[in-house]
Amino acid sequence: MQTGKTATTEEQTAEALEELEGTLERVIFHNAENGYTVFRFQPKGKGGDAVSVVGHMVDPQPGVGLLLRGGWVNNPKFGRQFRMETFESVLPATVEGIRHYLGSGLIKGVGETMAARIVARFGESTFSVLDDAPDRLIEVEGVGAKTLERIKTSWAEHRGIRDLIMFLQPHGVSTAYAVRIYRYYGTHALTVVRENPYRLAMDIHGIGFITADGVATKLGFSKDSPLRAEAGVLYMLGRLTEDGHVYFPFDGLVTHTGDKLDIRYDLVEDAIHSLEREERVVLEDLGEGVGVFLTRFHHYETKIAYYLRRVLASPKAVHFENPDAVVDKVLGKLDIALAPEQLEAVRTSTRSKVMVLTGGPGTGKTTIINAIIRVFAEVGARILLAAPTGRAAKRMSETSGRESRTIHRLLEFSPKEDGFARNEDNPLACGLLVVDEASMMDTMLMYHLLKAVPLGATLLFVGDVHQLPSVGPGNVLRDVIVSGVVPVVELREVFRQAAESEIICNAHRINQGEVPPLESSRDRLSDFYFIRQSDPAKVVEMILELVRDHIPRRFGLHPVDDIQVLTPMHKGLAGAGNLNLRLQEALNPQTLCVQRGERQFRLDDKVMQIRNNYEKDVYNGDIGRICCVNAKERELTVRYDERNVIYAWEELDEIVPAYAISVHKSQGSEYPAVVIPVLTQHYVLLQRNLIYTGVTRGKRLVVLVGESRALAMAVKNNRMQKRHTWLAHRLAQGLSTPGALL
């Protein structure tokens, strides 16, 4: 757990912990994410200059009186500083002091003029009114209903954080954690922490079980507390879903939780059964053992099986009196000759309720989708097209000439209504629903989609099953294929024009476990290159040179718009974090920016949305460019395709630089050129489907930089991490309800 101890780079003096009382003069730096603050402080009753103070606090405001506790340290770079361990707000007692305090900007809705009016009305009783009778503020000139609510909310937050900090500090919990805890729970924060501090591990991003456990220990919770064991199980199940599991075997969960979190196995077992009684987890006998599901994921998976089998069992709404004749007529109009497996795919769609079309690059999936759309249009069917991401939906629109939407938009998600407007009571209106990039769909999204599919519709899932599975839990497309309950057409033949591309040929070699040739022909311009380099630092320099100079000069591509760096990892020299810093400096050395924490957002930066924001209508993985920076208001505008989206400063944790992104984040996208580092230091993630997914993102150029040994390791490693799912069994066996429980 983080404490107020000094960093190892600083030398603590021998002076005892001391107190400083005075006034915060000027804020030098403040990180709103964790509360870390550097400020100038004028000690009370001491002449001379103000001192530098470092520590954690929320909303530091110049002019506020503080009582600091801490010690002096010598920072090699910044000199003598006061390291603040704890602090208390010192509320002024005089009318003049109260007026300055309220007018400092600490309370939203109260400026200097309003502060003067409030103090003129209530005098030395102002704080008592704010604490105990805030509705009396309506007596002040200029305070209407809206202003009253804003002041009440802001003062309650200010007081709530202050009370939470005062409660936690004696137990050794730093202000940094107190700030984050209050941001999440609001006015209920103190109650939550007192009753069950283990909730912090499950609710607050970045606060793990160890931190919550430390808080609980300080508050007197026993190591053998049932709350500790229950929170540990839920925390561990949550972590396992992040790894893609829908459930985890009972025995494995017991040992995994017990070993990772140092909890006795018998306590873990008791906790699992207690959580089952509380309906927070579901235990299901899977025949080969008992699976433990978080309740919502058990619901999603069983309902997917139920809804899919229901669609399969329902009559087909789109009727073909002579399907083969319709197919021949449409293909005649299109003037294209399909290969036998392609023709079979089109014919299968006319006979099936649900169908999967899969295949690698160059096998003609787009041609088949368009042919199927024309066949259904020929008989007057209403057709809907969708994909999991905005980029995939846009590409589908371009290749089909029809509107395609994200699944969220198709289902009319509304954050205000707290859910999807389209469901089993308000289904989609269509005779054919085509879902592209279906391998990206996780368990939750598939559940919501199937819930809204009308019973008579034909459902076509299209995707490359050899790509990486969904980021979220489950392996839905593969499970549907493995179940055997729907016809699957896999396109294998690579057509002549596509076969001329080394990208496509090498992607298929990789998929078949064959390391592609690493020497490109010098007689012609290739679209696939491998550059050998084993030193990670030199790999980074080479990537910078390729993106900034070599590829734009030789291939005529724009270094930001056309070239995407894809990396297996986030950390390390060749990880997305460091590559983004280096590429930002190389490609966009502008000074106009907004700073959030340690991250700079510069005008013209390439950025990516990293979580779904339904109100802004931008989604995880959307990439745009910063087109406007308002440094004074600390506000950005990002242009996504033809749309501008404004981000306030507090919303900037939703976007990250996107000069380099993870291979996972690239799913559903295509780029003119991709550059991929491949190093043995990435060995944990070196798997065939990762390299295959990265290579197939490039349309005109793919450049791999790294070690041939690392590439060989990845291509030969087809042991994909097992994801514990039970969907294939449910579909094959017709299960849609839980089995016998323990």
Side-chain angles (χ1 to χ4, degrees), residues 653-671:
D653 58 351
E654 294 189 9
I655 57 174
V656 296
Y659 299 100
I661 64 175
S662 70
V663 178
H664 253 116
K665 289 288 189 184
S666 73
Q667 289 187 86
S669 296
E670 287 184 344
Y671 312 96

Side-chain angles (χ1 to χ4, degrees), residues 224-298:
D224 294 335
S225 164
L227 287 177
R228 181 174 187 267
E230 289 177 18
V233 169
L234 290 174
Y235 168 69
M236 195 55 65
L237 271 177
R239 290 289 299 272
L240 290 166
T241 62
E242 291 175 6
D243 292 335
H245 302 293
V246 176
Y247 76 91
F248 211 72
F250 184 94
D251 293 340
L253 181 62
V254 170
T255 56
H256 197 64
T257 304
D259 293 345
K260 291 281 187 183
L261 304 181
D262 190 23
I263 304 174
R264 292 199 331 258
Y265 291 171
D266 62 310
L267 291 176
V268 177
E269 291 180 4
D270 290 344
I272 293 172
H273 290 297
S274 176
L275 291 167
E276 183 198 14
R277 289 190 292 272
E278 295 172 11
E279 299 183 349
R280 302 183 75 173
V281 303
V282 173
L283 303 183
E284 182 174 351
D285 185 351
L286 304 178
E288 57 189 42
V290 174
V292 185
F293 298 74
L294 287 171
T295 300
R296 66 183 181 279
F297 286 109
H298 184 265

Side-chain angles (χ1 to χ4, degrees), residues 29-38 54-57 81 83 176:
F29 174 77
H30 175 66
N31 184 342
E33 295 178 24
N34 59 20
Y36 181 75
T37 308
V38 181
V54 295
H56 292 83
M57 63 193 312
Q81 297 176 325
R83 169 71 71 176

Side-chain angles (χ1 to χ4, degrees), residues 365-387:
K365 292 195 300 294
T366 299
T367 300
I368 302 308
I369 292 172
N370 289 336
I372 291 172
I373 289 171
R374 295 289 186 91
V375 166
F376 276 75
E378 183 70 21
V379 295
R382 180 168 183 186
I383 300 164
L384 294 177
L385 310 181

Side-chain angles (χ1 to χ4, degrees), residues 42-63:
Q42 181 62 59
K44 184 179 180 180
K46 294 184 180 181
D49 297 333
V51 300
S52 291
V53 179
V54 295
H56 292 83
M57 63 193 312
V58 66
D59 262 351
Q61 295 290 338

